[in-house]
Amino acid sequence: MPIIRSLTVLPALPEPLKDLDTIARNLYWSWQPRSKALFERIDPQLWRECGHNPIRLLGTVSQQRLEALAGSQGFLHLLSQAKEELRSYLKGPTWFQKVCGGPQDPLIAYFSAEFGLHECLPLYAGGLGILAADHLKSASDLGVPIVGVGLFYHKGYFRQQINIDGWQQEVYQDYDPYTMPMDLVRTEGGSPLTVGVEYPGRTVWVQIWSVAVGRAKLFLLDTNIPANCPADRMITSTLYGGDRELRIRQEICLGIGGVRALAAMGLEPTVYHMNEGHAAFMALERIRILRQKANLDFDQAAEITKASNVFTLHTLVKAGLDEFSVELMDKYFADYILQLGLTRTQFLSLGRMLPDDDSEPFKMPVLAMKLSGYVNGVSKLHAEVSRGVWGTLWPGLPADEVPIKAITNGVHLPTWVAPPIAELYEQYIGPGWSETVLDSSGWEGIYQVPDIEIWSAHQRCKKQLIQAVREALRAQMARRGACRSDLQLAHEALDPDVLTIGFARRFAGYKRGDLLLRDQQRLQRLVTDPNTPIQIVYAGKAHPRDNEGKEIIRNIVRFASSPQVRRRIAFLEDYDMHIARLLVQGVDVWLNNPRRPMEASGTSGMKAAANGVLNLSTLDGWWCEGYCPQCGWAISPAPANQPVDYQDQLEAQAIFELLEREVIPLFYTRGSDNLPRAWIQRMKHTIRHIAPRFSTHRIVAEYVRRFYNPAAARWRHLTSDQLERAKALVQWKANLRNRWQEMAICDVQIALQEGQGPRPLDPRQPQIRAGSRLNVKTLVRLGQILPTDVSVELYYGPLDSWGNIRQGRPIPMQYQMPDGQPGTYWFSQTIGCDCSGRQGLAIRILPNNPDLCTRYEPGLILWEGSA
């Protein structure tokens, strides 16, 4: 083979244009209209052809054009404004500095398998990556000290093509990192910085790319270097491609390699955040490093690192939950287990719901939950369902007390709000509209926007969408070899005056993308109605191995191709962030109809609402919290106990009923000025009610206050004084576990509190009046455990038909005095009984130590009457 020496050719920018490269290499431009306009002005056609990638643009545009721009005073003024905007942003005071700043600011490491920052960095497949990127952007805006950690996929996620039969085909292309807005991390000597990760029989070397995201940094790990064999160079080839073995290799690279990469760059995060279970091996690597540094055993190191690990759960769909066979775990972790100081059985139990079940695969979400002090779902409903799914990890604990909290997702408003709408916000809400964190009172200004102005802005977005749809359809049809007359029809697709519905997301069975096609005749009548027609734009990809999702796409494409509806229904290939922005900004209604409760959260409807688009959705995910009658429509749920096919039929009918009786009439009811004023009022309500509440500014602030700052404080606390607090906590837990079986609840006495003193309650007829007060005393045997080491609680609430307490509340009981027997103590509490009906109370004991993340963390609970 010939010797090939590589070199990188950089654009030769004239001196007056040098700042273009600086601006292009910080993705702050991606959510700043002025900066995007700067690059588009260089060459609008080339900007589109380069996939809105400024580095490719600058490397492709002719030198003659650059020289001309260097002499354009108008362009240089625009460049100067963009440069000053970036400089001011990077140096300006931040929310975090004002509210949370201190002498020991935390550094948060945010791990995710995908990041959807912009379409020019195709390192995302769907909502998980978009959320991760919006999280980084909002952290940057707020000044939260954060670094992202992910993988650089040289082939990205697949490009989607639909063949003439309507079947999805996957196309992969190689991306050149040197033509993307990112830089290789280098040593002081100038060579690429690499870290080694051990795989069976070899070390794989990983280089690191750095992406500037405003004030934040994203580090992407890359194994495609000559030091690795061809198979190992493919570890970071594709997102969600390959088999289970490639997946475990990728997740080892992300979790273990990510921790090592941060250390190699001299970064020492105090908080580690796992966005879904893909990065859960990170928790093991933190334990391994701490064991070696401080000569700790596994439990001690796990106790310290757990205190500053945060884990966000996402999908509840089994196919989306990573798990690996015992054989794969043995192959890749046989040597690593020894470094953790565990036996094989102990190690495998970390990833199992049933620790002793040798047939159970190793589940990454379970590993993450067992090694994290803070766990959350991404909506209130999702957290509630997750507590039921994963609750057995905390045996004996009522489902509503399982420590999986809810932090509902949001979106980065500057990324997703259309420029014409943003201009209205600037004028009527104020220049700081996008900086809203918790106080949303300024958004009342949306009601001051004249109807004609907001409708005109929306129509501009809609026309831009329709123009893009026509161009995309023409390109799709040309690739499939369509005749000239059919290509001409593409230019007639859609109508800006027709009610336009958008449906775009990953195509999976539970999302029911073809639900409206259950009654094709009824849908065709709505689409072709001569007076009040509707039109629908679909987009989205199915996972390469999801044939059910592909079949749904084919059903839609075939229906959309029929002569009767082809001008009113379009399916856009290769859904990406560019198409997503056009859709959420340009449609009138956003349709979402997953099977409840399978949608963890969903964020596309939030993006649409921020642009004044009304939602029509099942009450699932975030819409349970976002819905109000003035903001959109809720699809009536079918009975959950019915067959799935029947549920789908009923909910499809419910959508048609809403469209025919409410949505369509509201849209087409116009006054003499042709404005749908009642519709516009709903647009304003939607913006006011949803935009400030469902932003990533709000969720990042929630993470900071509820998780990041407490986790950082616990990390500092447990690692102070040569780790003595952590070692003491581990010893305390071990002692408690060893003595737990010796404890018992020996006696419970209940008395009605009256003016003359307590009167014992008749156990045969325990009836009291609402408003009465009960005095409850309990005698507990703790043995050698001190009363301060436990929390004795009265658990009180309504009874269901099975005699179980539902939605109970724990009430701490107060230590009173020791009993005559050694190691036995009396506790008491008085409660008010305000609600009528059957109520129940129970006594329980939980661990109590100020150094615990939560009192549920040790997994110990003793109820009266339990063995």
Side-chain angles (χ1 to χ4, degrees), residues 315-342:
T315 184
L316 291 170
V317 180
K318 181 174 174 56
L321 298 173
D322 270 349
E323 60 182 34
F324 300 111
S325 68
V326 172
E327 290 74 23
L328 273 180
M329 296 304 295
D330 283 339
K331 178 176 179 179
Y332 283 90
F333 284 91
D335 294 334
Y336 195 87
I337 292 171
L338 301 177
Q339 299 177 55
L340 294 173
L342 296 175

mmCIF file of all heavy atoms in Angstrom, residues 315-342:
data_model
loop_
_atom_site.group_PDB
_atom_site.id
_atom_site.type_symbol
_atom_site.label_atom_id
_atom_site.label_comp_id
_atom_site.label_asym_id
_atom_site.label_seq_id
_atom_site.Cartn_x
_atom_site.Cartn_y
_atom_site.Cartn_z
ATOM 1 N N THR A 315 -37.171 6.204 28.557
ATOM 2 C CA THR A 315 -38.181 5.308 28.006
ATOM 3 C C THR A 315 -38.535 4.162 28.953
ATOM 4 O O THR A 315 -37.690 3.667 29.699
ATOM 5 C CB THR A 315 -37.712 4.728 26.658
ATOM 6 O OG1 THR A 315 -38.758 3.929 26.104
ATOM 7 C CG2 THR A 315 -36.460 3.872 26.837
ATOM 8 N N LEU A 316 -39.797 3.762 28.891
ATOM 9 C CA LEU A 316 -40.260 2.561 29.584
ATOM 10 C C LEU A 316 -40.462 1.408 28.609
ATOM 11 O O LEU A 316 -40.862 0.321 29.005
ATOM 12 C CB LEU A 316 -41.580 2.860 30.303
ATOM 13 C CG LEU A 316 -41.469 3.816 31.489
ATOM 14 C CD1 LEU A 316 -42.853 4.236 31.956
ATOM 15 C CD2 LEU A 316 -40.692 3.193 32.621
ATOM 16 N N VAL A 317 -40.178 1.656 27.322
ATOM 17 C CA VAL A 317 -40.330 0.619 26.307
ATOM 18 C C VAL A 317 -39.155 -0.334 26.415
ATOM 19 O O VAL A 317 -37.995 0.088 26.420
ATOM 20 C CB VAL A 317 -40.382 1.242 24.894
ATOM 21 C CG1 VAL A 317 -40.542 0.162 23.839
ATOM 22 C CG2 VAL A 317 -41.523 2.247 24.812
ATOM 23 N N LYS A 318 -39.441 -1.644 26.496
ATOM 24 C CA LYS A 318 -38.394 -2.633 26.739
ATOM 25 C C LYS A 318 -37.266 -2.535 25.712
ATOM 26 O O LYS A 318 -36.090 -2.637 26.054
ATOM 27 C CB LYS A 318 -38.991 -4.040 26.734
ATOM 28 C CG LYS A 318 -37.953 -5.144 27.009
ATOM 29 C CD LYS A 318 -38.600 -6.503 27.130
ATOM 30 C CE LYS A 318 -37.570 -7.606 27.260
ATOM 31 N NZ LYS A 318 -36.651 -7.423 28.383
ATOM 32 N N ALA A 319 -37.616 -2.295 24.435
ATOM 33 C CA ALA A 319 -36.586 -2.242 23.395
ATOM 34 C C ALA A 319 -35.618 -1.088 23.615
ATOM 35 O O ALA A 319 -34.495 -1.114 23.110
ATOM 36 C CB ALA A 319 -37.242 -2.119 22.024
ATOM 37 N N GLY A 320 -36.053 -0.085 24.356
ATOM 38 C CA GLY A 320 -35.190 1.067 24.596
ATOM 39 C C GLY A 320 -34.382 0.970 25.871
ATOM 40 O O GLY A 320 -33.605 1.885 26.181
ATOM 41 N N LEU A 321 -34.554 -0.105 26.639
ATOM 42 C CA LEU A 321 -33.832 -0.283 27.891
ATOM 43 C C LEU A 321 -32.652 -1.217 27.646
ATOM 44 O O LEU A 321 -32.839 -2.376 27.299
ATOM 45 C CB LEU A 321 -34.758 -0.855 28.968
ATOM 46 C CG LEU A 321 -35.951 0.023 29.354
ATOM 47 C CD1 LEU A 321 -36.884 -0.726 30.286
ATOM 48 C CD2 LEU A 321 -35.480 1.311 30.028
ATOM 49 N N ASP A 322 -31.458 -0.698 27.823
ATOM 50 C CA ASP A 322 -30.268 -1.497 27.540
ATOM 51 C C ASP A 322 -30.070 -2.581 28.582
ATOM 52 O O ASP A 322 -30.080 -2.313 29.791
ATOM 53 C CB ASP A 322 -29.031 -0.596 27.512
ATOM 54 C CG ASP A 322 -28.765 -0.067 26.123
ATOM 55 O OD1 ASP A 322 -29.397 -0.555 25.181
ATOM 56 O OD2 ASP A 322 -27.937 0.840 25.987
ATOM 57 N N GLU A 323 -29.882 -3.801 28.108
ATOM 58 C CA GLU A 323 -29.500 -4.901 28.973
ATOM 59 C C GLU A 323 -28.573 -5.828 28.189
ATOM 60 O O GLU A 323 -28.641 -5.909 26.960
ATOM 61 C CB GLU A 323 -30.722 -5.663 29.501
ATOM 62 C CG GLU A 323 -31.602 -6.271 28.438
ATOM 63 C CD GLU A 323 -32.824 -6.976 29.028
ATOM 64 O OE1 GLU A 323 -33.344 -6.505 30.055
ATOM 65 O OE2 GLU A 323 -33.241 -7.994 28.461
ATOM 66 N N PHE A 324 -27.680 -6.499 28.927
ATOM 67 C CA PHE A 324 -26.674 -7.348 28.297
ATOM 68 C C PHE A 324 -26.692 -8.724 28.939
ATOM 69 O O PHE A 324 -26.926 -8.870 30.141
ATOM 70 C CB PHE A 324 -25.291 -6.723 28.428
ATOM 71 C CG PHE A 324 -25.176 -5.369 27.774
ATOM 72 C CD1 PHE A 324 -25.024 -4.216 28.535
ATOM 73 C CD2 PHE A 324 -25.254 -5.244 26.399
ATOM 74 C CE1 PHE A 324 -24.936 -2.974 27.945
ATOM 75 C CE2 PHE A 324 -25.169 -3.997 25.792
ATOM 76 C CZ PHE A 324 -25.003 -2.866 26.560
ATOM 77 N N SER A 325 -26.421 -9.727 28.119
ATOM 78 C CA SER A 325 -26.404 -11.108 28.599
ATOM 79 C C SER A 325 -25.258 -11.313 29.579
ATOM 80 O O SER A 325 -24.258 -10.578 29.572
ATOM 81 C CB SER A 325 -26.261 -12.073 27.437
ATOM 82 O OG SER A 325 -24.977 -11.950 26.851
ATOM 83 N N VAL A 326 -25.388 -12.328 30.409
ATOM 84 C CA VAL A 326 -24.330 -12.662 31.357
ATOM 85 C C VAL A 326 -23.045 -13.000 30.604
ATOM 86 O O VAL A 326 -21.937 -12.645 31.037
ATOM 87 C CB VAL A 326 -24.774 -13.847 32.245
ATOM 88 C CG1 VAL A 326 -23.618 -14.334 33.114
ATOM 89 C CG2 VAL A 326 -25.961 -13.437 33.112
ATOM 90 N N GLU A 327 -23.174 -13.641 29.458
ATOM 91 C CA GLU A 327 -21.996 -14.022 28.672
ATOM 92 C C GLU A 327 -21.221 -12.782 28.220
ATOM 93 O O GLU A 327 -19.974 -12.762 28.286
ATOM 94 C CB GLU A 327 -22.416 -14.844 27.455
ATOM 95 C CG GLU A 327 -22.946 -16.240 27.763
ATOM 96 C CD GLU A 327 -24.350 -16.231 28.364
ATOM 97 O OE1 GLU A 327 -25.079 -15.228 28.150
ATOM 98 O OE2 GLU A 327 -24.710 -17.218 29.036
ATOM 99 N N LEU A 328 -21.943 -11.754 27.768
ATOM 100 C CA LEU A 328 -21.257 -10.529 27.360
ATOM 101 C C LEU A 328 -20.600 -9.837 28.552
ATOM 102 O O LEU A 328 -19.476 -9.323 28.445
ATOM 103 C CB LEU A 328 -22.240 -9.574 26.687
ATOM 104 C CG LEU A 328 -22.461 -9.742 25.183
ATOM 105 C CD1 LEU A 328 -23.468 -8.721 24.684
ATOM 106 C CD2 LEU A 328 -21.157 -9.608 24.413
ATOM 107 N N MET A 329 -21.290 -9.810 29.685
ATOM 108 C CA MET A 329 -20.711 -9.176 30.869
ATOM 109 C C MET A 329 -19.455 -9.924 31.321
ATOM 110 O O MET A 329 -18.451 -9.301 31.704
ATOM 111 C CB MET A 329 -21.743 -9.113 31.997
ATOM 112 C CG MET A 329 -22.950 -8.249 31.693
ATOM 113 S SD MET A 329 -22.550 -6.535 31.247
ATOM 114 C CE MET A 329 -21.838 -5.951 32.789
ATOM 115 N N ASP A 330 -19.494 -11.256 31.278
ATOM 116 C CA ASP A 330 -18.311 -12.032 31.627
ATOM 117 C C ASP A 330 -17.151 -11.716 30.678
ATOM 118 O O ASP A 330 -15.998 -11.568 31.093
ATOM 119 C CB ASP A 330 -18.618 -13.530 31.568
ATOM 120 C CG ASP A 330 -19.420 -14.011 32.779
ATOM 121 O OD1 ASP A 330 -19.393 -13.312 33.814
ATOM 122 O OD2 ASP A 330 -20.058 -15.065 32.684
ATOM 123 N N LYS A 331 -17.452 -11.622 29.398
ATOM 124 C CA LYS A 331 -16.409 -11.396 28.396
ATOM 125 C C LYS A 331 -15.719 -10.055 28.594
ATOM 126 O O LYS A 331 -14.490 -9.959 28.485
ATOM 127 C CB LYS A 331 -17.024 -11.474 26.993
ATOM 128 C CG LYS A 331 -16.033 -11.217 25.871
ATOM 129 C CD LYS A 331 -16.691 -11.398 24.513
ATOM 130 C CE LYS A 331 -15.701 -11.105 23.381
ATOM 131 N NZ LYS A 331 -16.327 -11.310 22.037
ATOM 132 N N TYR A 332 -16.508 -9.021 28.892
ATOM 133 C CA TYR A 332 -15.940 -7.677 28.920
ATOM 134 C C TYR A 332 -15.557 -7.180 30.313
ATOM 135 O O TYR A 332 -14.861 -6.169 30.425
ATOM 136 C CB TYR A 332 -16.912 -6.689 28.256
ATOM 137 C CG TYR A 332 -16.878 -6.788 26.756
ATOM 138 C CD1 TYR A 332 -17.718 -7.659 26.080
ATOM 139 C CD2 TYR A 332 -15.960 -6.061 26.023
ATOM 140 C CE1 TYR A 332 -17.669 -7.781 24.698
ATOM 141 C CE2 TYR A 332 -15.897 -6.169 24.640
ATOM 142 C CZ TYR A 332 -16.752 -7.036 23.991
ATOM 143 O OH TYR A 332 -16.680 -7.151 22.626
ATOM 144 N N PHE A 333 -15.991 -7.873 31.365
ATOM 145 C CA PHE A 333 -15.731 -7.347 32.711
ATOM 146 C C PHE A 333 -15.036 -8.339 33.644
ATOM 147 O O PHE A 333 -14.913 -8.056 34.836
ATOM 148 C CB PHE A 333 -17.041 -6.866 33.347
ATOM 149 C CG PHE A 333 -17.517 -5.553 32.790
ATOM 150 C CD1 PHE A 333 -18.374 -5.525 31.702
ATOM 151 C CD2 PHE A 333 -17.094 -4.354 33.337
ATOM 152 C CE1 PHE A 333 -18.798 -4.322 31.169
ATOM 153 C CE2 PHE A 333 -17.516 -3.143 32.815
ATOM 154 C CZ PHE A 333 -18.367 -3.112 31.728
ATOM 155 N N ALA A 334 -14.569 -9.464 33.115
ATOM 156 C CA ALA A 334 -13.929 -10.459 33.990
ATOM 157 C C ALA A 334 -12.755 -9.862 34.748
ATOM 158 O O ALA A 334 -12.609 -10.065 35.973
ATOM 159 C CB ALA A 334 -13.480 -11.658 33.151
ATOM 160 N N ASP A 335 -11.889 -9.115 34.088
ATOM 161 C CA ASP A 335 -10.738 -8.507 34.757
ATOM 162 C C ASP A 335 -11.138 -7.264 35.548
ATOM 163 O O ASP A 335 -10.584 -6.985 36.617
ATOM 164 C CB ASP A 335 -9.662 -8.141 33.727
ATOM 165 C CG ASP A 335 -9.057 -9.374 33.067
ATOM 166 O OD1 ASP A 335 -9.078 -10.449 33.707
ATOM 167 O OD2 ASP A 335 -8.599 -9.258 31.924
ATOM 168 N N TYR A 336 -12.091 -6.526 35.024
ATOM 169 C CA TYR A 336 -12.513 -5.274 35.669
ATOM 170 C C TYR A 336 -13.128 -5.540 37.036
ATOM 171 O O TYR A 336 -12.958 -4.758 37.977
ATOM 172 C CB TYR A 336 -13.516 -4.569 34.755
ATOM 173 C CG TYR A 336 -13.776 -3.111 35.100
ATOM 174 C CD1 TYR A 336 -12.971 -2.111 34.575
ATOM 175 C CD2 TYR A 336 -14.840 -2.745 35.918
ATOM 176 C CE1 TYR A 336 -13.211 -0.774 34.860
ATOM 177 C CE2 TYR A 336 -15.088 -1.422 36.214
ATOM 178 C CZ TYR A 336 -14.274 -0.441 35.679
ATOM 179 O OH TYR A 336 -14.518 0.874 35.983
ATOM 180 N N ILE A 337 -13.847 -6.667 37.164
ATOM 181 C CA ILE A 337 -14.485 -7.017 38.441
ATOM 182 C C ILE A 337 -13.442 -7.083 39.551
ATOM 183 O O ILE A 337 -13.684 -6.625 40.679
ATOM 184 C CB ILE A 337 -15.223 -8.367 38.311
ATOM 185 C CG1 ILE A 337 -16.427 -8.241 37.372
ATOM 186 C CG2 ILE A 337 -15.694 -8.864 39.676
ATOM 187 C CD1 ILE A 337 -17.073 -9.576 37.030
ATOM 188 N N LEU A 338 -12.279 -7.636 39.251
ATOM 189 C CA LEU A 338 -11.228 -7.761 40.264
ATOM 190 C C LEU A 338 -10.776 -6.384 40.743
ATOM 191 O O LEU A 338 -10.482 -6.195 41.926
ATOM 192 C CB LEU A 338 -10.041 -8.540 39.683
ATOM 193 C CG LEU A 338 -10.345 -9.957 39.179
ATOM 194 C CD1 LEU A 338 -9.103 -10.585 38.564
ATOM 195 C CD2 LEU A 338 -10.887 -10.823 40.315
ATOM 196 N N GLN A 339 -10.744 -5.410 39.842
ATOM 197 C CA GLN A 339 -10.326 -4.062 40.218
ATOM 198 C C GLN A 339 -11.375 -3.373 41.094
ATOM 199 O O GLN A 339 -11.061 -2.428 41.817
ATOM 200 C CB GLN A 339 -10.064 -3.222 38.972
ATOM 201 C CG GLN A 339 -8.968 -3.765 38.078
ATOM 202 C CD GLN A 339 -8.803 -2.921 36.826
ATOM 203 O OE1 GLN A 339 -8.606 -1.711 36.908
ATOM 204 N NE2 GLN A 339 -8.873 -3.559 35.662
ATOM 205 N N LEU A 340 -12.615 -3.846 41.022
ATOM 206 C CA LEU A 340 -13.672 -3.296 41.879
ATOM 207 C C LEU A 340 -13.689 -3.958 43.259
ATOM 208 O O LEU A 340 -14.371 -3.466 44.162
ATOM 209 C CB LEU A 340 -15.037 -3.476 41.217
ATOM 210 C CG LEU A 340 -15.290 -2.692 39.928
ATOM 211 C CD1 LEU A 340 -16.615 -3.105 39.302
ATOM 212 C CD2 LEU A 340 -15.265 -1.187 40.188
ATOM 213 N N GLY A 341 -12.990 -5.076 43.395
ATOM 214 C CA GLY A 341 -12.985 -5.786 44.667
ATOM 215 C C GLY A 341 -14.265 -6.563 44.919
ATOM 216 O O GLY A 341 -14.663 -6.749 46.070
ATOM 217 N N LEU A 342 -14.912 -7.011 43.841
ATOM 218 C CA LEU A 342 -16.176 -7.746 43.960
ATOM 219 C C LEU A 342 -16.012 -9.172 43.439
ATOM 220 O O LEU A 342 -15.128 -9.456 42.627
ATOM 221 C CB LEU A 342 -17.280 -7.045 43.152
ATOM 222 C CG LEU A 342 -17.708 -5.653 43.586
ATOM 223 C CD1 LEU A 342 -18.719 -5.104 42.594
ATOM 224 C CD2 LEU A 342 -18.297 -5.661 44.990
#
